[in-house]
Amino acid sequence: MRKDDLRVTVDIANTQSPYDRTLAAEFPILPPTPYASTIVGVGTASSATSFSQQDLLDTFAISDPKIRSVFLNSAIRRRFLELPLPAPDGTPALETQADLLDRHKRLAVDMGRRALQACLDDVGATIADIRHLCCVTSTGFLTPGLSALLIRELGIDRHCSRTDIVGMGCNAGLNALNVVSSWSVANPGELAVVLCTEACSAAYVLDSTMRTAVVNSLFGDGAAALAVVGRPAGDSVGAPGGPRILKFASCIIPDAIDAMRYDWDSTQNRFSFFLDPQIPYVVGAHAEIVADRLLANTGLHRSDIAHWLVHSGGKKVIDAVAVNLGLNRHDVRHTTGVLRDYGNVSSGSFIFSYERLQQERVTVPGDYGVLMTMGPGSTIETALIQW
């Protein structure tokens, strides 16, 4: 695919409402706040077994050349998945929706517990320090929610404040970070955690069609956690370690509201994920709009952003975002690295990339970063951070 195929010109001036332009005029810089939410720790976890794309083609005996091409040209080397047990003939056994929901609950709790503990270890905190727990998942439905199950499983204080975000898809991690950031500013000094845990192998439909092949070739199991604390704004400016969270911006694309969806398929008698082939172009065409809205009123330009952490939504999605934002391969190295080693782990993907950036130890106080995710709606979520 040529880069020109991914480049979509959007008249940004005409996409801003008069209200947007009024805001820009009234607030030329970010207003001062007494407290700022700061990311202070990160942790990730996966399910037990990883597979190459060729492993999966062999396991499911996929011979259709078009479907094999989708798997083998995905820029994914391995993914963590829990596959169905083999039937007597050696092929993967059929599973009911109830089987898949059971798997989601078991994997979500197990991976979530390990990612949460890794995050606490990174902070130097304990279970007893958690004051707010915000859990995110879209690959299964739980009532009571994952937060309640983990509070019981881990012995977290029963009075811990909690939120469950369900069904917002791959962008939900940033929706959760927005909630937790506000909670932290209102409760300075208290430890809050965003926990994204997605058992994508509990959301698969195996019917040998191209529709399901696009999904089955992409997603992997994974959980990721971010710890956030509200600190006096002056204390966290340019401080070493984790970045301050400065601002969020969102964009929904109503014309593409059905282009990404996870809903009931009556022919399969289970939930099924659908990705429209045009999604990369739709996301790429709107990436500039939301990025420029995020940077509006800050005095910053895209060239001022030192670190870009984009959702690992798939090879074409990453290419489309990079081309439209003018990013190079180094800018999206963690995004493509996570896709290569884990596949698309949905809501926690950007946290996997953030963990890799922190492990590089290349950030310096004052650096700006942009977090960007995209998901059903179709929607794009962004956050501006500063080390």
Side-chain angles (χ1 to χ4, degrees):
M1 178 173 293
R2 296 177 300 112
K3 284 190 174 181
D4 287 347
D5 295 334
L6 296 168
R7 176 71 192 180
V8 180
T9 301
V10 176
D11 184 352
I12 293 175
N14 289 330
T15 64
Q16 288 185 300
S17 68
Y19 178 68
D20 297 333
R21 292 191 284 274
T22 300
L23 280 179
E26 292 181 353
F27 301 101
I29 58 173
L30 290 171
T33 57
Y35 296 101
S37 54
T38 302
I39 299 173
V40 296
V42 61
T44 60
S46 302
S47 53
T49 309
S50 71
F51 300 87
S52 70
Q53 298 292 72
Q54 185 62 55
D55 291 338
L56 296 168
L57 291 171
D58 294 341
T59 299
F60 295 111
I62 297 172
S63 58
D64 185 313
K66 291 183 179 178
I67 294 178
R68 291 180 65 86
S69 177
V70 170
F71 273 73
L72 297 175
N73 293 290
S74 59
I76 296 171
R77 182 182 298 165
R78 300 192 72 82
R79 292 179 284 155
F80 289 83
L81 295 166
E82 183 172 300
L83 300 184
L85 294 173
D89 64 358
T91 60
L94 295 177
E95 296 175 298
T96 66
Q97 183 62 61
D99 295 331
L100 296 176
L101 288 173
D102 287 344
R103 178 186 297 168
H104 170 261
K105 181 177 180 180
R106 176 170 49 78
L107 286 179
V109 171
D110 175 60
M111 294 189 299
R113 174 182 56 77
R114 290 185 283 115
L116 178 57
Q117 187 59 59
C119 181
L120 293 175
D121 291 344
D122 190 42
V123 184
T126 69
I127 291 292
D129 295 316
I130 301 174
R131 293 291 178 270
H132 183 85
L133 178 62
C134 181
C135 290
V136 177
T137 190
S138 292
T139 48
F141 184 71
L142 295 168
T143 302
L146 187 59
S147 65
L149 297 177
L150 283 169
I151 285 173
R152 182 187 64 178
E153 175 86 8
L154 297 176
I156 298 172
D157 184 347
R158 65 167 63 186
H159 302 294
C160 177
S161 171
R162 62 191 181 89
T163 308
D164 285 279
I165 293 180
V166 179
M168 296 189 78
C170 297
N171 54 22
L174 276 183
N175 299 113
L177 187 61
N178 199 339
V179 170
V180 167
S181 177
S182 297
W183 186 93
S184 296
V185 169
N187 297 271
E190 304 283 10
L191 182 65
V193 178
V194 173
L195 175 62
C196 305
T197 178
E198 303 287 8
C200 293
S201 59
Y204 277 12
V205 173
L206 304 172
D207 63 357
S208 301
T209 65
M210 183 57 75
R211 166 178 167 156
T212 59
V214 171
V215 176
N216 296 349
S217 67
L218 179 60
F219 289 92
D221 300 337
L226 280 180
V228 177
V229 171
R231 291 173 172 167
D235 290 352
S236 55
V237 176
R244 295 184 303 154
I245 302 168
L246 301 180
K247 188 183 178 188
F248 292 88
S250 304
C251 178
I252 186 167
I253 310 163
D255 291 344
I257 202 163
D258 290 325
M260 280 187 273
R261 62 180 191 270
Y262 181 59
D263 54 12
W264 188 257
D265 183 340
S266 57
T267 62
Q268 295 287 340
N269 203 32
R270 66 182 60 191
F271 287 100
S272 178
F273 203 172
F274 172 73
L275 290 175
D276 190 292
Q278 296 302 310
I279 279 296
Y281 313 106
V282 171
V283 168
H286 291 80
E288 284 187 286
I289 297 172
V290 66
D292 288 346
R293 183 178 176 86
L294 179 70
L295 299 183
N297 316 326
T298 66
L300 298 172
H301 300 89
R302 280 184 238 161
S303 58
D304 297 316
I305 304 303
H307 310 288
W308 292 86
L309 298 171
V310 179
H311 169 54
S312 303
K315 183 177 182 300
K316 290 183 179 179
V317 170
I318 298 169
D319 288 346
V321 170
V323 168
N324 282 279
L325 292 182
L327 307 182
N328 58 39
R329 293 177 64 181
H330 182 75
D331 292 327
V332 295
R333 64 194 181 284
H334 300 307
T335 300
T336 54
V338 169
L339 181 69
R340 179 192 64 224
D341 298 335
Y342 294 93
N344 179 342
V345 286
S346 191
S347 60
S349 291
F350 79 99
I351 303 178
F352 277 74
S353 292
Y354 172 80
E355 181 182 51
R356 292 186 171 204
L357 176 63
Q358 287 295 83
Q359 290 170 347
E360 275 189 325
R361 299 185 182 279
V362 297
T363 61
V364 297
D367 277 358
Y368 287 97
V370 167
L371 314 176
M372 175 178 283
T373 61
M374 56 287 302
S378 297
T379 54
I380 303 175
E381 303 292 339
T382 58
L384 177 66
I385 58 179
Q386 184 185 26
W387 277 264

